[in-house]
Amino acid sequence: MIRLLALLLRRDLARLLGAGQGGGALLPILFFLAVAMIFPFAVGPDTALLARTGGGVIWVAALLAAILPLDRLVQPDLERGMFDQWALRGIAEEWVMAARVISHWISFGPPLMLAAVPAAALLGLSADNLRIVELGLLAGTPGLAALGVAIAAITAGLRGGAALAGLLLIPLGVPLLIFGAGSLSAGGASGLALTGAVSLVLLAVAPFAGGAAIRASRD
Amino acid sequence: MLFRGVSFALRSGGALQITGANGTGKSSLLRIIAGLSRPFGGVIEREGGIGLVDERPALDPEWPLARALAFWRAIDPGPSPDMAMLGLAGLLDVPFRYLSTGQRKRAAMARLIGQDAAIWLLDEPLNGLDTAAARMVETLTANHCARGGIAVVASHQPFALPGMTHLPLADFAA
């Protein structure tokens, strides 16, 4: 089972990180940076205002960037018949989904945390606030990745599934956003713990929800 | 509902061709046999692993053929397929998406051989294949049955296999 998970992970990572495949993992990160970049243009160069709202902007940008890779997470494998072949070999959809969550996080979470550094500079965030944002992203991106994979699986078989996936991710990602961005306000340290808690719930549920969605799409 | 009252049994070495016009439910029946779809009523009993080749080859189009097949080779226990006989020896470095319909079908057969499944389910296996490749697939299937395997072929085309029985699905149309 461990060997199988390693095989699935290796393929997932090669596909999600692979260069020359529609931008791979780079596109969401560039989008994230672009949002952080245009925000000061829109609200003006008021340093105090930017520093106060910057953390929230980073969280909103992260949530929006999480929409971009959704259509590449499950849909291609469904169209290629990979899930049928795995099922015939007795490989449970839940394992495939668990591997997908891990690989999606690796290709999305750490790059986003790296990109948050220049984004924080663009928004004039203090070092302290950057530290909290990074901790929040560390706690929140696994949940965001799990949510993304589950939503991608649920919408994979549908016409116009990509647009629907984006619409679903925003409201379902709101708890992460509230606790993650909330951890920046005074006395918001418990926000980090709550972000982690929401993440853990999503991580626990996503493989089963995703697996059930794949099986349901067969009938 | 597509069909009702369908019943058949195959023993080791047996082969069956499901025939019928487009839309009679050949592929659906194969998926039910494979356990990927549930029948509205009835039971399927089978012993042994299932290998399925349908219109989706389950090979990653962005990867070279060798790498796409290697993913399944690492999962499957079976023997290495004879790439020269399948006519794929010169294509191993070619990204899978550049292969023609017939070449993709052969690559799917390579995946199937490597799987070493007792029961082969072939959905329109001759589609897109030239005459020589079609004979090759028929020979592969015959060899599989000679080794004690079972083959179920869904095709509207003639599929030459010694001892093969036929199931005209249109006779069971609901």
Side-chain angles (χ1 to χ4, degrees), chain A residues 97-151:
Chain A
M97 285 293 135
R100 193 66 39 101
V101 169
I102 297 170
S103 54
H104 175 41
W105 180 77
I106 291 174
S107 68
F108 177 73
L112 199 73
M113 290 170 65
L114 272 181
V117 176
L122 286 167
L123 296 164
L125 246 63
S126 67
D128 259 356
N129 273 352
L130 173 62
R131 194 178 55 82
I132 299 174
V133 165
E134 290 287 7
L135 283 176
L137 287 177
L138 183 63
T141 45
L144 211 50
L147 186 60
V149 168
I151 288 177

Side-chain angles (χ1 to χ4, degrees), chain B:
Chain B
M1 195 142 73
L2 284 163
F3 44 76
R4 68 170 82 219
V6 177
S7 169
F8 65 87
L10 289 170
R11 298 185 171 284
S12 173
L16 174 79
Q17 179 171 10
I18 305 166
T19 59
N22 301 135
T24 44
K26 300 190 292 295
S27 301
S28 304
L29 180 53
L30 273 195
R31 289 183 65 79
I32 289 172
I33 298 170
L36 293 171
S37 299
R38 271 191 304 261
F40 185 71
V43 286
I44 297 104
E45 282 178 38
R46 49 189 153 73
E47 259 177 68
I50 297 266
L52 173 70
V53 169
D54 57 12
E55 80 281 14
R56 298 167 308 168
L59 294 163
D60 288 307
E62 62 270 27
W63 285 356
L65 176 61
R67 188 176 177 190
L69 282 171
F71 172 74
W72 291 112
R73 294 282 319 126
I75 290 180
D76 291 331
S80 289
D82 183 345
M83 299 304 271
M85 194 199 41
L86 287 159
L88 296 169
L91 299 170
L92 291 174
D93 298 327
V94 180
F96 186 72
R97 66 174 178 278
Y98 292 139
L99 299 192
S100 73
T101 314
Q103 288 165 338
R104 284 169 199 222
K105 211 80 184 186
R106 293 185 223 187
M109 290 303 293
R111 191 202 70 222
L112 177 69
I113 292 168
Q115 190 186 349
D116 207 18
I119 303 170
W120 281 14
L121 304 178
L122 309 178
D123 192 357
E124 299 291 359
L126 304 184
N127 265 11
L129 292 180
D130 55 42
T131 321
R135 294 296 87 74
M136 183 264 298
V137 167
E138 287 170 350
T139 309
L140 282 174
T141 314
N143 291 345
H144 171 70
C145 291
R147 283 194 308 272
I150 287 175
V152 180
V153 180
S155 181
H156 61 278
Q157 291 166 304
F159 192 95
L161 202 64
M164 181 181 241
T165 50
H166 289 81
L167 180 83
L169 203 54
D171 296 359
F172 300 92

Side-chain angles (χ1 to χ4, degrees), chain A residues 84-106:
Chain A
D84 285 351
Q85 294 295 334
W86 284 318
L88 291 176
R89 287 157 175 80
I91 301 170
E93 286 79 7
E94 282 77 6
W95 283 111
V96 180
M97 285 293 135
R100 193 66 39 101
V101 169
I102 297 170
S103 54
H104 175 41
W105 180 77
I106 291 174

Side-chain angles (χ1 to χ4, degrees), chain A residues 21 28 34 43 52 59 64 78 100 107 116 122 138 148 158 170 193:
Chain A
Q21 289 158 31
V43 301
R52 204 172 64 243
W59 269 96
L64 293 179
L78 207 61
R100 193 66 39 101
S107 68
L122 286 167
L138 183 63
L158 306 177
I170 290 177

